[in-house]
Amino acid sequence: MVYCGKASEGCQSCRTRRIKCDKKRPECSQCIRVGKKCPGYRDQLSLMFRDESSKVIQKAQAQWGPAGSPPDDNPESSSQSSDPTNVILSSRRPSYPPTGSAPPIPTVATQQIVASKIPRRVEPNLDQRGLNFYVERYLLNHPDSPRTPEFMDAEAMRNVMIAVGLAGMSNLLGNKSMSLVARSKYVTALKQTGQLIASASRDYGAIVKPLRSIVTLALFEVVQGKGSRLSASSANTHIHGAIALSRSVLPIADSPNGGARGVLQLMFSMFIPSQMTDTPLPTGFFECLKLCKVLLQDCIESCAVDAAFAISRLLQLLLTTGQATPLDGQQQTDELIQQFLALDTVFDRIEQQLQAAYPFVELQIGEPSVALFRGKWHSYTEIWGARIWNHFRWARLLLGEYIIKFTVDYPLSSAPYISPSHKVRCYSTIRRIAEDMLISTPSHWHHPALDKETAKKYEAPGQGGAGAAGLPSLLWHLKVSACAPNVPLDFWDWAYDILQVVWKNMGMQHAQALAEVMEEHRKTLQKGMAGGSPVVVVVD
């Protein structure tokens, strides 16, 4: 695929007649005026990134000779072809004569064509390479790939896509200059997004473009960010802005449940950064949750809001635990443990509600696959439900880890409330939830080892067109599952391999940072086992 520039948006009839098309839908005014049926408009996304057309190839052949000429032996060209980013460029380039070879002896048919200089092949510029990389690695090959290209029309969106693409490329190539260009594009996109927001009217159609731009700005932070905690904090700032923008247009007319789904998806993505950075959720967050609860009233999906409230409560308890200094045997510690156990009961109830609202089936293949954990995968109705499940699973793992940790750190306070059988049940729940999280991976992300047809078989169908926007959360979920207490070692091995694949394929620093956290976690466990003492590590 090659970036071919922005294609004409006019209808086929207007382009054929070479007149200006007003691009109105469903039919343009020019066709209506002359009484013709408007043939409609072309898919801009497929036109902007397409193989070279036969017309272009014919022009190249007419100017420089037919395809099949000797390959370019230029060392510089050879080094370019080894560039990992060039795999996204079309292989159907016209062949050129080698620049160092002697010109052919003119014949009668060629005497009038004197090729004094043979130009080098035309390579895409830096912006085009960044955009190509983003489209191929971050946009198209994901379960939630976009169905329509309209969002790419905004200059802000184009610049932030270039920024993310160049950031990923610079990480893989170790190119600091490219990284600086990526940051510059990010700053430009940030300013342009602010201008879009300022000029947009407060209706859903007007905020879609700036909203997509904001989400992609957040993605940039985890692609170029140097640490999981720092990048999460920066990304969270953007997500908070996206929620505020979405909240300003709720309820959305002619949208199922007033558009509560889209806002909830953004709100769920705030939980991990909040827990990582020990930052309380803002007051506006809960006001927005209450509004979503009203919009989903009497709907089976209202359990998603209940799950969000429960996770919010868990994060508040974790923050309280971190700020306080509990002492074993004190009433304050006893009360804290009881609050965690009460929340555990709430999570049991919500899990049953989620099974009714977002059912899934576990399937298995006979042959092993690097893309499937233990050869299993989940079949979900849509990716929305798959994401709600994984956010819930992540929180359930955290809750279980802290309950286990209380039995180790506060044996006197926990003994009256956490029986040995309760502790065994807690370990069993952690293992089940962690395994489900790993099994669900191909529903959210296409492993590069899979062909397109097979990846489609495992994915959860998407609708939002967010591409890889949900991938950072998935990677964090995998890390938490792999580092959960008492899970088998193959959990860690498989999740670690996935993080490495994402890093090598997409250049996402977030994946590399999480892999390093996992390495430190395993070292801590190994030291604890060597010392003969029980170790429960909650990875932040």
Side-chain angles (χ1 to χ4, degrees):
M1 303 288 280
V2 179
Y3 177 73
C4 301
K6 186 174 180 179
S8 169
E9 297 178 356
C11 73
Q12 179 64 44
S13 177
C14 289
R15 287 186 294 106
T16 302
R17 296 164 60 197
R18 297 184 180 275
I19 58 175
K20 186 175 182 180
C21 181
D22 61 5
K23 295 171 284 188
K24 288 187 177 181
R25 295 179 185 271
E27 295 183 297
C28 77
S29 301
Q30 296 282 16
C31 290
I32 294 175
R33 184 175 59 83
V34 297
K36 287 186 175 182
K37 181 174 176 59
C38 184
Y41 306 97
R42 303 181 296 175
D43 182 348
Q44 291 290 301
L45 189 61
S46 62
L47 287 168
M48 291 175 69
F49 301 92
R50 64 186 188 274
D51 288 336
E52 294 166 333
S53 68
S54 58
K55 184 182 291 185
V56 173
I57 295 174
Q58 289 171 3
K59 287 182 178 179
Q61 290 175 348
Q63 187 171 3
W64 310 117
S69 303
D72 193 343
D73 295 327
N74 191 325
E76 184 178 348
S77 298
S78 299
S79 64
Q80 287 176 344
S81 64
S82 63
D83 185 339
T85 63
N86 280 344
V87 298
I88 60 177
L89 302 179
S90 171
S91 62
R92 294 175 56 195
R93 294 175 176 142
S95 302
Y96 298 93
T99 55
S101 63
I105 300 175
T107 64
V108 175
T110 61
Q111 283 179 350
Q112 296 182 12
I113 302 178
V114 180
S116 57
K117 292 184 178 179
I118 303 297
R120 293 182 183 274
R121 64 180 62 177
V122 179
E123 295 289 351
N125 61 30
L126 195 58
D127 281 8
Q128 292 168 342
R129 291 176 68 196
L131 193 57
N132 285 347
F133 190 89
Y134 176 85
V135 169
E136 286 289 333
R137 309 293 176 92
Y138 284 85
L139 189 63
L140 294 184
N141 297 317
H142 294 272
D144 201 18
S145 296
R147 302 293 187 266
T148 57
E150 285 83 0
F151 68 91
M152 295 181 68
D153 293 343
E155 191 66 19
M157 188 62 199
R158 184 178 185 276
N159 278 324
V160 72
M161 289 192 296
I162 292 172
V164 173
L166 290 178
M169 288 171 59
S170 66
N171 291 337
L172 292 177
L173 301 173
N175 190 322
K176 293 183 179 180
S177 298
M178 188 180 289
S179 178
L180 291 175
V181 175
R183 176 60 64 171
S184 175
K185 286 287 182 181
Y186 165 83
V187 172
T188 300
L190 193 61
K191 294 177 181 177
Q192 291 171 334
T193 303
Q195 293 168 357
L196 278 177
I197 296 172
S199 61
S201 59
R202 285 300 173 259
D203 64 83
Y204 182 71
I207 70 163
V208 169
K209 290 180 180 179
L211 199 58
R212 287 185 180 275
S213 182
I214 293 171
V215 172
T216 313
L217 287 167
L219 180 61
F220 174 87
E221 298 290 354
V222 298
V223 173
Q224 197 177 58
K226 300 301 180 185
S228 57
R229 183 181 292 266
L230 180 62
S231 61
S233 178
S234 301
N236 201 34
T237 302
H238 293 302
I239 297 300
H240 188 30
I243 292 173
L245 183 60
S246 300
R247 169 66 181 84
S248 67
V249 299
L250 287 182
I252 300 171
D254 303 323
S255 179
N257 304 118
R261 266 193 175 194
V263 180
L264 274 175
Q265 184 163 288
L266 290 170
M267 297 177 77
F268 272 99
S269 66
M270 286 188 69
F271 288 137
I272 292 174
S274 176
Q275 185 257 333
M276 289 174 63
T277 58
D278 298 321
T279 305
L281 294 165
T283 304
F285 180 91
F286 296 97
E287 294 174 354
C288 196
L289 262 187
K290 291 176 182 177
L291 176 58
C292 290
K293 183 67 174 179
V294 172
L295 294 175
L296 290 169
Q297 190 174 7
D298 301 325
C299 174
I300 193 172
E301 291 192 66
S302 63
C303 62
V305 182
D306 296 335
F309 273 117
I311 296 172
S312 301
R313 175 59 180 153
L314 173 62
L315 296 184
Q316 289 175 332
L317 285 177
L318 296 182
L319 197 59
T320 300
T321 305
Q323 293 174 344
T325 310
L327 297 176
D328 196 16
Q330 286 194 345
Q331 182 180 354
Q332 180 185 7
T333 307
D334 294 356
E335 292 175 350
L336 189 63
I337 292 174
Q338 291 179 66
Q339 291 181 67
F340 272 87
L341 293 175
L343 191 58
D344 193 38
T345 303
V346 173
F347 270 71
D348 281 335
R349 173 177 56 81
I350 292 176
E351 184 171 357
Q352 294 177 358
Q353 294 174 340
L354 290 176
Q355 288 171 348
Y358 310 111
F360 65 92
V361 179
E362 182 180 300
L363 302 169
Q364 187 165 10
I365 61 172
E367 297 295 325
S369 169
V370 294
L372 303 180
F373 181 66
R374 295 181 173 177
K376 302 176 183 178
W377 82 95
H378 288 160
S379 175
Y380 295 92
T381 305
E382 56 180 332
I383 201 166
W384 159 254
R387 285 174 176 165
I388 295 295
W389 264 114
N390 266 12
H391 286 298
F392 172 81
R393 289 168 182 146
W394 161 77
R396 191 74 195 264
L397 285 178
L398 275 183
L399 180 59
E401 287 177 12
Y402 270 85
I403 291 174
I404 296 295
K405 192 172 186 294
F406 285 144
T407 64
V408 176
D409 295 345
Y410 312 110
L412 295 178
S413 292
S414 63
Y417 309 106
I418 306 175
S419 64
S421 61
H422 188 164
K423 187 175 179 180
V424 170
R425 188 168 65 252
C426 196
Y427 271 124
S428 176
T429 300
I430 288 174
R431 177 167 177 166
R432 172 178 62 83
I433 293 291
E435 184 173 6
D436 276 344
M437 193 99 78
L438 300 182
I439 291 172
S440 76
T441 299
S443 300
H444 304 265
W445 171 70
H446 288 174
H447 196 294
L450 298 175
D451 59 67
K452 188 174 181 179
E453 183 178 347
T454 306
K456 198 78 175 174
K457 171 185 174 182
Y458 298 142
E459 73 174 28
Q463 295 178 343
L471 184 57
S473 293
L474 173 65
L475 299 184
W476 185 265
H477 295 157
L478 294 182
K479 187 269 298 181
V480 172
S481 300
C483 298
N486 210 38
V487 298
L489 290 179
D490 66 327
F491 283 38
W492 191 98
D493 295 335
W494 192 83
Y496 183 82
D497 288 344
I498 293 298
L499 290 174
Q500 291 299 320
V501 170
V502 171
W503 159 249
K504 293 173 183 177
N505 183 254
M506 303 176 70
M508 185 183 289
Q509 284 280 8
H510 179 64
Q512 184 78 326
L514 291 179
E516 292 171 358
V517 172
M518 287 183 63
E519 291 168 0
E520 290 301 317
H521 174 79
R522 173 162 278 193
K523 290 178 183 177
T524 302
L525 287 182
Q526 290 172 342
K527 288 179 182 178
M529 288 187 289
S533 58
V535 180
V536 178
V537 183
V538 179
V539 184
D540 292 328

